[in-house]
Amino acid sequence: MDYTDRLRRLAINDERLAETDVGDVAGVEGRLDSKSLALARIAALVSVGGAEPSFGAQVDAAISSGTTATQIVDVLLGVIPIVGLPLVVAAAPKVALALGHDLDIDDVLGEADTR
């Protein structure tokens, strides 16, 4: 099935889509490289206010596919005009934890005050 057929099925909420493409993660990964898919999923998590474990799983997938921490942070910066700064600010500590950094917000705020 080509992308126009999948798009049509999405547009009408065709139940056959769930039987084929939605459950076919391997098929999506075959059409979209694992790095791009992981970064798109991180961006989606930011937009819906995803939970910390979800960020952990997707950041792990991104790193495993060759994504750098810098690229992950760039995704956060890149979605600000789309989702807004508050959602990105809320996601930043979750992403930091997923990258192995426990941000102490009081320390971060203290650093900002000294600049």
Side-chain angles (χ1 to χ4, degrees), residues 45-46 49-50 52 55 76 84-96:
L45 285 170
V46 172
E52 192 175 297
F55 277 101
L76 296 182
L85 186 59
L87 284 171
V88 174
V89 168
K94 298 171 189 176
V95 170

Side-chain angles (χ1 to χ4, degrees), residues 16 21 40-41 43 51 53 55 70 76 79 83 96 101 111:
R16 293 176 295 170
D21 283 354
R41 288 177 173 170
F55 277 101
T70 299
L76 296 182
V79 299
V83 303
H101 303 284
E111 290 175 18

Side-chain angles (χ1 to χ4, degrees), residues 51-62:
E52 192 175 297
S54 298
F55 277 101
Q58 292 310 313
V59 166
D60 287 348

Side-chain angles (χ1 to χ4, degrees), residues 69-83:
T70 299
Q71 290 170 319
I72 292 169
V73 174
D74 285 346
V75 166
L76 296 182
L77 296 171
V79 299
I80 290 171
I82 307 304
V83 303

